[in-house]
Amino acid sequence: MKVTNITNIDGFFKTVDQCKGRVELVTGEGDRLNLKSKLSQYVSLASIFAENSMIPEIEIVAYEPEDIQRLMAFMMNG
């Protein structure tokens, strides 16, 4: 799923932490980063803040249906 305009980055990562299964960030090069890993979260944050304080668009893959619903609910409610 493509996710756009995440301004509440802390809330986004808290939502990812609540997911039961794997949640991956797909990079522009096609690499998949485990977003449940704190190291991956810190690396993501560092690159975001180097550019600006908002995530304009990313591709997320969640494998559990309930995790997809959880992430979609976050995007709807921010």
Side-chain angles (χ1 to χ4, degrees):
M1 89 179 80
K2 294 238 183 205
V3 179
T4 59
N5 299 322
I6 299 173
T7 54
N8 181 358
I9 297 167
D10 187 48
F12 173 71
F13 284 130
K14 285 181 182 177
T15 302
V16 168
D17 288 340
Q18 293 172 359
C19 290
K20 305 285 185 217
R22 290 179 58 103
V23 178
E24 298 172 334
L25 166 70
V26 180
T27 68
E29 294 81 26
D31 296 322
R32 292 177 180 245
L33 303 175
N34 177 8
L35 280 182
K36 293 187 78 174
S37 158
K38 291 298 177 196
L39 178 59
S40 291
Q41 288 181 7
Y42 291 136
V43 169
S44 299
L45 282 175
S47 65
I48 291 163
F49 285 117
E51 297 173 14
N52 58 32
S53 62
M54 183 180 76
I55 302 174
E57 180 179 286
I58 57 174
E59 185 173 351
I60 301 291
V61 176
Y63 293 91
E64 300 296 324
E66 68 187 59
D67 294 340
I68 294 169
Q69 291 176 345
R70 180 177 283 117
L71 292 166
M72 296 287 281
F74 172 79
M75 294 309 302
M76 298 296 277
N77 300 318

Coordinates of all heavy atoms in Angstrom, one line a residue:
M1 N 0.8 -1.2 0.0 CA 0.0 0.0 0.0 C 0.9 1.2 0.0 O 1.9 1.2 0.6 CB -0.9 0.0 1.2 CG -0.4 0.6 2.5 SD -1.5 0.6 3.9 CE -1.3 -1.0 4.4
K2 N 0.5 2.2 -0.7 CA 1.2 3.5 -0.8 C 0.6 4.4 0.3 O -0.6 4.5 0.5 CB 1.0 4.2 -2.1 CG 1.7 3.4 -3.2 CD 2.7 4.3 -3.9 CE 3.3 3.4 -5.0 NZ 4.5 3.7 -5.4
V3 N 1.5 4.9 1.1 CA 1.1 5.8 2.2 C 1.7 7.2 1.9 O 2.8 7.3 1.5 CB 1.7 5.2 3.5 CG1 1.4 6.1 4.7 CG2 1.2 3.8 3.8
T4 N 0.9 8.2 2.1 CA 1.3 9.6 1.8 C 1.1 10.5 3.0 O 0.2 10.3 3.8 CB 0.5 10.1 0.6 OG1 -0.9 10.1 0.9 CG2 0.8 9.3 -0.7
N5 N 1.9 11.5 3.0 CA 1.8 12.7 3.9 C 1.7 12.3 5.4 O 0.8 12.7 6.0 CB 0.6 13.6 3.5 CG 0.8 14.1 2.1 OD1 1.9 14.5 1.7 ND2 -0.3 14.2 1.3
I6 N 2.6 11.5 5.8 CA 2.7 11.2 7.3 C 3.3 12.3 8.0 O 4.5 12.6 7.8 CB 3.5 9.9 7.5 CG1 2.8 8.7 6.8 CG2 3.5 9.6 9.0 CD1 3.6 7.4 6.9
T7 N 2.6 13.0 8.8 CA 3.1 14.1 9.6 C 3.4 13.7 11.0 O 4.2 14.3 11.7 CB 2.2 15.4 9.5 OG1 0.9 15.0 10.0 CG2 2.1 15.9 8.1
N8 N 2.6 12.8 11.5 CA 2.8 12.3 12.9 C 3.7 11.0 12.8 O 3.2 9.9 12.9 CB 1.4 11.9 13.5 CG 1.5 11.4 14.9 OD1 2.6 11.3 15.5 ND2 0.4 11.2 15.5
I9 N 5.0 11.2 12.7 CA 5.9 10.1 12.5 C 6.0 9.2 13.7 O 6.0 8.0 13.6 CB 7.3 10.7 12.1 CG1 7.2 11.4 10.7 CG2 8.3 9.5 12.0 CD1 8.3 12.2 10.4
D10 N 6.0 9.9 14.9 CA 6.0 9.1 16.2 C 4.8 8.2 16.3 O 4.9 7.0 16.6 CB 6.1 10.0 17.4 CG 6.3 9.3 18.7 OD1 7.2 8.4 18.7 OD2 5.6 9.6 19.6
G11 N 3.6 8.7 16.0 CA 2.4 8.0 16.0 C 2.4 6.8 15.0 O 1.9 5.7 15.2
F12 N 3.0 7.1 13.8 CA 3.1 6.1 12.8 C 3.9 4.9 13.3 O 3.5 3.7 13.2 CB 3.7 6.7 11.5 CG 4.0 5.6 10.4 CD1 2.9 5.0 9.8 CD2 5.3 5.2 10.2 CE1 3.2 4.0 8.8 CE2 5.6 4.3 9.2 CZ 4.5 3.7 8.5
F13 N 5.1 5.2 13.9 CA 5.9 4.1 14.4 C 5.3 3.4 15.5 O 5.5 2.2 15.7 CB 7.3 4.6 14.7 CG 8.2 4.9 13.5 CD1 8.8 6.0 13.3 CD2 8.3 3.9 12.5 CE1 9.6 6.3 12.2 CE2 9.1 4.1 11.3 CZ 9.7 5.3 11.2
K14 N 4.5 4.1 16.4 CA 3.8 3.4 17.5 C 2.8 2.5 16.9 O 2.6 1.4 17.4 CB 3.2 4.4 18.4 CG 4.1 5.1 19.3 CD 3.5 6.1 20.2 CE 4.5 6.8 21.1 NZ 3.9 7.8 21.9
T15 N 2.1 2.9 15.8 CA 1.1 2.0 15.2 C 1.8 0.8 14.6 O 1.3 -0.3 14.7 CB 0.4 2.8 14.1 OG1 -0.3 3.9 14.7 CG2 -0.7 1.9 13.4
V16 N 3.0 1.0 14.0 CA 3.7 -0.2 13.4 C 4.1 -1.1 14.5 O 4.0 -2.3 14.4 CB 5.0 0.4 12.7 CG1 5.9 -0.8 12.3 CG2 4.6 1.1 11.4
D17 N 4.5 -0.6 15.7 CA 4.9 -1.4 16.8 C 3.8 -2.3 17.3 O 4.0 -3.4 17.8 CB 5.5 -0.6 18.0 CG 6.8 0.0 17.7 OD1 7.5 -0.5 16.8 OD2 7.2 1.0 18.3
Q18 N 2.5 -1.8 17.1 CA 1.4 -2.6 17.6 C 1.0 -3.7 16.6 O 0.2 -4.6 17.0 CB 0.2 -1.6 17.7 CG 0.3 -0.6 18.8 CD -0.8 0.4 18.8 OE1 -1.7 0.4 18.0 NE2 -0.7 1.3 19.8
C19 N 1.5 -3.7 15.4 CA 1.2 -4.7 14.4 C 1.7 -6.1 14.9 O 2.8 -6.2 15.5 CB 1.8 -4.4 13.1 SG 1.0 -2.9 12.3
K20 N 1.0 -7.1 14.6 CA 1.4 -8.5 15.0 C 2.4 -9.1 14.0 O 3.3 -9.9 14.5 CB 0.1 -9.4 15.0 CG -1.0 -8.8 15.9 CD -0.7 -9.0 17.3 CE -1.9 -8.6 18.1 NZ -1.6 -7.9 19.3
G21 N 2.3 -8.9 12.7 CA 3.1 -9.5 11.7 C 4.2 -8.5 11.2 O 4.4 -7.5 11.8
R22 N 4.8 -9.0 10.1 CA 5.9 -8.1 9.5 C 5.3 -6.9 8.9 O 4.2 -7.0 8.2 CB 6.6 -8.9 8.5 CG 7.5 -10.0 9.1 CD 8.2 -10.8 8.0 NE 9.1 -9.9 7.2 CZ 10.4 -9.8 7.3 NH1 11.0 -10.6 8.1 NH2 11.1 -9.0 6.5
V23 N 6.0 -5.8 9.0 CA 5.6 -4.6 8.3 C 6.9 -4.1 7.7 O 7.9 -3.9 8.4 CB 5.0 -3.5 9.3 CG1 4.7 -2.2 8.5 CG2 3.8 -4.0 10.0
E24 N 6.9 -3.9 6.4 CA 8.1 -3.6 5.7 C 8.0 -2.3 4.9 O 6.9 -2.0 4.4 CB 8.5 -4.7 4.7 CG 8.8 -6.0 5.4 CD 9.0 -7.1 4.4 OE1 8.5 -7.1 3.3 OE2 9.7 -8.1 4.8
L25 N 9.0 -1.5 4.8 CA 9.1 -0.3 4.0 C 9.8 -0.8 2.7 O 10.9 -1.4 2.8 CB 9.9 0.8 4.7 CG 10.4 1.9 3.8 CD1 9.2 2.8 3.4 CD2 11.4 2.8 4.6
V26 N 9.3 -0.5 1.6 CA 9.9 -0.8 0.3 C 10.6 0.5 -0.2 O 9.9 1.5 -0.4 CB 8.8 -1.3 -0.7 CG1 9.5 -1.6 -2.1 CG2 8.1 -2.5 -0.2
T27 N 11.9 0.4 -0.4 CA 12.7 1.6 -0.9 C 12.5 1.7 -2.4 O 12.0 0.8 -3.0 CB 14.2 1.4 -0.5 OG1 14.7 0.3 -1.3 CG2 14.4 1.1 0.9
G28 N 12.9 2.9 -2.9 CA 12.9 3.1 -4.3 C 13.7 2.1 -5.1 O 13.4 1.9 -6.3
E29 N 14.7 1.5 -4.5 CA 15.5 0.5 -5.2 C 14.9 -0.9 -5.1 O 15.5 -1.8 -5.6 CB 16.9 0.5 -4.6 CG 17.7 1.8 -4.9 CD 17.4 2.9 -3.9 OE1 16.9 2.6 -2.7 OE2 17.5 4.1 -4.3
G30 N 13.8 -1.0 -4.3 CA 13.2 -2.3 -4.2 C 13.6 -3.1 -2.9 O 13.1 -4.2 -2.7
D31 N 14.5 -2.5 -2.1 CA 14.8 -3.2 -0.9 C 13.7 -3.1 0.1 O 12.9 -2.2 0.1 CB 16.1 -2.5 -0.3 CG 17.3 -2.6 -1.1 OD1 17.5 -3.6 -1.7 OD2 18.0 -1.6 -1.2
R32 N 13.6 -4.1 1.0 CA 12.5 -4.2 2.0 C 13.2 -4.1 3.4 O 14.0 -4.9 3.7 CB 11.7 -5.5 1.9 CG 10.9 -5.5 0.6 CD 10.2 -6.8 0.5 NE 9.4 -6.8 -0.8 CZ 8.1 -6.8 -0.8 NH1 7.4 -6.8 0.3 NH2 7.5 -6.7 -2.0
L33 N 12.8 -3.0 4.1 CA 13.3 -2.8 5.5 C 12.2 -3.2 6.5 O 11.1 -2.7 6.3 CB 13.7 -1.4 5.6 CG 14.7 -0.8 4.7 CD1 14.9 0.7 4.9 CD2 16.0 -1.6 4.8
N34 N 12.6 -3.9 7.5 CA 11.6 -4.3 8.6 C 11.4 -3.1 9.4 O 12.2 -2.7 10.2 CB 12.3 -5.4 9.4 CG 11.4 -5.8 10.5 OD1 10.3 -5.4 10.7 ND2 11.9 -6.7 11.4
L35 N 10.2 -2.5 9.3 CA 9.8 -1.3 10.1 C 9.6 -1.6 11.6 O 9.5 -0.7 12.4 CB 8.6 -0.6 9.5 CG 8.9 0.3 8.3 CD1 7.6 1.0 7.9 CD2 10.0 1.3 8.6
K36 N 9.5 -2.9 12.0 CA 9.3 -3.2 13.4 C 10.7 -3.2 14.1 O 10.8 -3.2 15.3 CB 8.6 -4.5 13.5 CG 7.2 -4.4 13.1 CD 6.4 -5.6 13.3 CE 6.0 -5.6 14.8 NZ 5.1 -6.7 15.1
S37 N 11.8 -3.1 13.3 CA 13.1 -3.0 13.9 C 13.4 -1.6 14.3 O 13.2 -0.6 13.5 CB 14.1 -3.4 12.8 OG 15.4 -2.9 13.1
K38 N 13.8 -1.4 15.5 CA 14.1 0.0 16.0 C 15.3 0.6 15.2 O 15.2 1.8 14.9 CB 14.5 -0.1 17.5 CG 13.3 -0.4 18.4 CD 12.3 0.7 18.2 CE 11.1 0.3 19.1 NZ 9.9 1.1 18.7
L39 N 16.2 -0.2 14.8 CA 17.3 0.3 14.0 C 16.8 0.8 12.6 O 17.2 1.9 12.2 CB 18.4 -0.8 13.7 CG 19.6 -0.4 12.8 CD1 20.3 0.8 13.4 CD2 20.5 -1.6 12.6
S40 N 15.9 0.1 12.0 CA 15.3 0.6 10.7 C 14.5 1.9 11.0 O 14.5 2.8 10.1 CB 14.4 -0.5 10.1 OG 15.2 -1.6 9.6
Q41 N 13.8 1.9 12.1 CA 13.1 3.1 12.4 C 14.0 4.3 12.6 O 13.7 5.4 12.0 CB 12.2 2.9 13.6 CG 11.0 2.0 13.4 CD 10.2 1.8 14.7 OE1 10.4 2.5 15.7 NE2 9.2 0.9 14.6
Y42 N 15.1 4.2 13.3 CA 16.0 5.3 13.5 C 16.7 5.7 12.2 O 16.8 6.9 11.9 CB 17.1 4.9 14.5 CG 16.6 4.7 15.9 CD1 17.0 3.7 16.7 CD2 15.7 5.6 16.4 CE1 16.5 3.5 18.0 CE2 15.2 5.5 17.7 CZ 15.6 4.4 18.5 OH 15.1 4.2 19.8
V43 N 17.0 4.8 11.3 CA 17.6 5.1 10.0 C 16.6 5.9 9.2 O 16.9 6.9 8.6 CB 18.1 3.8 9.3 CG1 18.5 4.1 7.9 CG2 19.3 3.2 10.0
S44 N 15.3 5.4 9.2 CA 14.3 6.1 8.5 C 14.1 7.5 9.0 O 14.0 8.4 8.2 CB 12.9 5.3 8.6 OG 13.1 4.0 8.1
L45 N 14.0 7.7 10.3 CA 13.9 9.0 10.9 C 15.0 9.9 10.5 O 14.8 11.1 10.2 CB 13.8 8.9 12.4 CG 12.4 8.5 13.0 CD1 12.6 8.3 14.5 CD2 11.4 9.5 12.6
A46 N 16.2 9.4 10.5 CA 17.4 10.2 10.2 C 17.3 10.7 8.8 O 17.6 11.9 8.5 CB 18.7 9.4 10.4
S47 N 16.9 9.9 7.8 CA 16.8 10.3 6.4 C 15.6 11.2 6.2 O 15.7 12.2 5.4 CB 16.7 9.1 5.5 OG 15.5 8.4 5.7
I48 N 14.6 11.0 7.0 CA 13.4 11.9 6.8 C 13.8 13.3 7.3 O 13.5 14.3 6.6 CB 12.2 11.4 7.7 CG1 11.7 10.1 7.0 CG2 11.1 12.5 7.8 CD1 10.8 9.3 8.0
F49 N 14.4 13.4 8.5 CA 14.7 14.7 9.0 C 15.9 15.4 8.3 O 16.0 16.6 8.3 CB 15.0 14.7 10.5 CG 13.8 14.5 11.3 CD1 13.6 13.3 12.1 CD2 12.8 15.4 11.3 CE1 12.4 13.1 12.8 CE2 11.6 15.2 12.0 CZ 11.4 14.1 12.8
A50 N 16.7 14.7 7.5 CA 17.7 15.3 6.7 C 17.0 16.0 5.5 O 17.5 17.0 5.1 CB 18.6 14.2 6.1
E51 N 15.9 15.5 5.1 CA 15.1 16.2 4.0 C 14.1 17.2 4.5 O 14.1 18.3 4.1 CB 14.5 15.1 3.1 CG 15.5 14.1 2.5 CD 14.8 13.0 1.8 OE1 13.5 13.0 1.6 OE2 15.5 12.0 1.4
N52 N 13.2 16.7 5.3 CA 12.2 17.6 5.9 C 11.5 16.8 7.1 O 12.0 15.7 7.4 CB 11.2 18.1 4.9 CG 10.4 16.9 4.2 OD1 10.2 15.9 4.8 ND2 10.1 17.1 3.0
S53 N 10.5 17.3 7.7 CA 9.9 16.7 8.8 C 8.6 16.0 8.5 O 7.8 15.8 9.3 CB 9.7 17.7 9.9 OG 8.8 18.7 9.5
M54 N 8.5 15.6 7.2 CA 7.2 14.9 6.8 C 7.6 13.8 5.8 O 8.6 13.9 5.0 CB 6.3 15.9 6.1 CG 5.0 15.2 5.7 SD 3.9 16.4 4.9 CE 4.6 16.5 3.3
I55 N 6.9 12.7 5.8 CA 7.1 11.6 4.9 C 6.1 11.8 3.7 O 4.9 11.7 3.9 CB 6.9 10.2 5.5 CG1 7.8 10.0 6.7 CG2 7.1 9.1 4.5 CD1 7.5 8.7 7.5
P56 N 6.6 12.2 2.5 CA 5.7 12.6 1.5 C 5.0 11.3 0.9 O 3.7 11.3 0.8 CB 6.5 13.2 0.4 CG 7.9 12.8 0.7 CD 8.0 12.4 2.2
E57 N 5.7 10.2 0.6 CA 5.1 9.0 0.1 C 6.0 7.9 0.3 O 7.2 8.0 -0.1 CB 4.7 9.2 -1.4 CG 4.1 7.9 -2.0 CD 3.7 8.0 -3.4 OE1 2.7 8.7 -3.7 OE2 4.4 7.4 -4.3
I58 N 5.5 6.8 0.8 CA 6.3 5.6 1.0 C 5.4 4.4 0.6 O 4.2 4.5 0.7 CB 6.9 5.4 2.4 CG1 5.8 5.4 3.5 CG2 7.9 6.4 2.7 CD1 6.3 5.1 4.9
E59 N 6.0 3.3 0.4 CA 5.3 2.0 0.1 C 5.5 1.1 1.3 O 6.6 0.8 1.7 CB 5.7 1.3 -1.2 CG 4.9 0.1 -1.5 CD 5.2 -0.5 -2.8 OE1 5.9 0.1 -3.6 OE2 4.6 -1.6 -3.1
I60 N 4.4 0.6 1.9 CA 4.4 -0.2 3.1 C 3.8 -1.6 2.7 O 2.8 -1.6 2.0 CB 3.6 0.4 4.2 CG1 4.1 1.7 4.6 CG2 3.6 -0.5 5.4 CD1 5.5 1.7 5.3
V61 N 4.4 -2.6 3.2 CA 3.8 -4.0 3.0 C 3.6 -4.6 4.4 O 4.5 -4.7 5.2 CB 4.8 -4.9 2.2 CG1 4.2 -6.3 2.1 CG2 5.1 -4.3 0.8
A62 N 2.3 -4.9 4.6 CA 1.9 -5.6 5.9 C 1.3 -6.9 5.5 O 0.6 -7.0 4.5 CB 0.9 -4.7 6.7
Y63 N 1.7 -8.0 6.2 CA 1.3 -9.3 5.8 C 0.0 -9.8 6.5 O -0.6 -10.7 6.0 CB 2.5 -10.3 6.0 CG 3.6 -10.0 5.1 CD1 4.6 -9.1 5.5 CD2 3.7 -10.5 3.8 CE1 5.7 -8.8 4.6 CE2 4.7 -10.3 3.0 CZ 5.7 -9.4 3.4 OH 6.7 -9.1 2.5
E64 N -0.3 -9.2 7.6 CA -1.5 -9.6 8.4 C -2.7 -8.7 8.1 O -2.5 -7.5 8.1 CB -1.2 -9.7 9.9 CG -0.1 -10.6 10.3 CD -0.4 -12.0 10.0 OE1 -1.6 -12.5 10.1 OE2 0.5 -12.8 9.6
P65 N -3.8 -9.2 7.7 CA -5.0 -8.4 7.4 C -5.3 -7.4 8.6 O -5.6 -6.2 8.3 CB -6.1 -9.4 7.2 CG -5.5 -10.6 6.8 CD -4.1 -10.7 7.6
E66 N -5.2 -7.8 9.8 CA -5.5 -6.9 10.9 C -4.4 -5.8 11.0 O -4.8 -4.6 11.4 CB -5.6 -7.6 12.2 CG -4.2 -8.2 12.7 CD -4.4 -9.0 14.0 OE1 -5.1 -10.0 13.9 OE2 -3.7 -8.7 15.0
D67 N -3.2 -6.0 10.6 CA -2.2 -5.0 10.5 C -2.5 -4.0 9.4 O -2.3 -2.8 9.6 CB -0.8 -5.6 10.3 CG -0.4 -6.4 11.5 OD1 -0.9 -6.3 12.6 OD2 0.5 -7.3 11.4
I68 N -2.9 -4.5 8.3 CA -3.3 -3.5 7.2 C -4.4 -2.6 7.7 O -4.4 -1.4 7.5 CB -3.7 -4.3 6.0 CG1 -2.5 -5.1 5.4 CG2 -4.3 -3.4 4.9 CD1 -2.9 -6.1 4.3
Q69 N -5.4 -3.2 8.4 CA -6.5 -2.4 8.9 C -6.0 -1.4 9.9 O -6.5 -0.2 9.9 CB -7.6 -3.3 9.5 CG -8.3 -4.1 8.4 CD -9.3 -5.1 9.1 OE1 -9.3 -5.3 10.3 NE2 -10.2 -5.6 8.2
R70 N -5.1 -1.8 10.8 CA -4.6 -0.9 11.8 C -3.8 0.3 11.1 O -4.0 1.5 11.5 CB -3.6 -1.7 12.7 CG -3.0 -0.8 13.8 CD -2.2 -1.7 14.7 NE -3.0 -2.4 15.6 CZ -3.1 -3.8 15.7 NH1 -2.4 -4.5 14.9 NH2 -3.9 -4.3 16.5
L71 N -3.0 0.0 10.1 CA -2.3 1.0 9.4 C -3.2 2.0 8.7 O -3.0 3.2 8.6 CB -1.2 0.4 8.5 CG -0.1 -0.3 9.2 CD1 0.7 -1.1 8.2 CD2 0.9 0.7 9.9
M72 N -4.2 1.4 8.0 CA -5.2 2.2 7.3 C -6.0 3.1 8.3 O -6.2 4.3 7.9 CB -6.2 1.3 6.5 CG -5.5 0.5 5.4 SD -5.1 1.5 4.0 CE -6.6 1.6 3.2
A73 N -6.3 2.6 9.4 CA -7.0 3.4 10.4 C -6.1 4.6 10.9 O -6.6 5.7 11.0 CB -7.4 2.6 11.6
F74 N -4.8 4.3 11.1 CA -3.9 5.4 11.5 C -3.9 6.5 10.4 O -4.0 7.7 10.7 CB -2.5 4.9 11.7 CG -1.5 6.0 11.9 CD1 -1.4 6.7 13.1 CD2 -0.7 6.4 10.9 CE1 -0.6 7.7 13.3 CE2 0.1 7.5 11.0 CZ 0.2 8.1 12.3
M75 N -3.8 6.1 9.1 CA -3.8 7.0 8.0 C -5.1 7.9 7.9 O -5.0 9.0 7.6 CB -3.5 6.3 6.7 CG -2.1 5.7 6.6 SD -0.8 6.8 7.1 CE -1.0 8.1 5.9
M76 N -6.2 7.3 8.3 CA -7.4 8.0 8.2 C -7.6 9.0 9.4 O -8.2 10.0 9.2 CB -8.6 7.0 8.2 CG -8.6 6.1 7.0 SD -8.9 6.9 5.5 CE -10.6 7.1 5.5
N77 N -7.0 8.6 10.5 CA -7.2 9.4 11.7 C -6.0 10.2 12.1 O -6.1 11.1 13.0 CB -7.6 8.5 12.9 CG -8.9 7.8 12.6 OD1 -9.8 8.4 12.1 ND2 -9.0 6.5 13.0
G78 N -4.8 9.9 11.5 CA -3.6 10.6 11.8 C -3.2 10.4 13.1 O -2.4 10.9 13.8

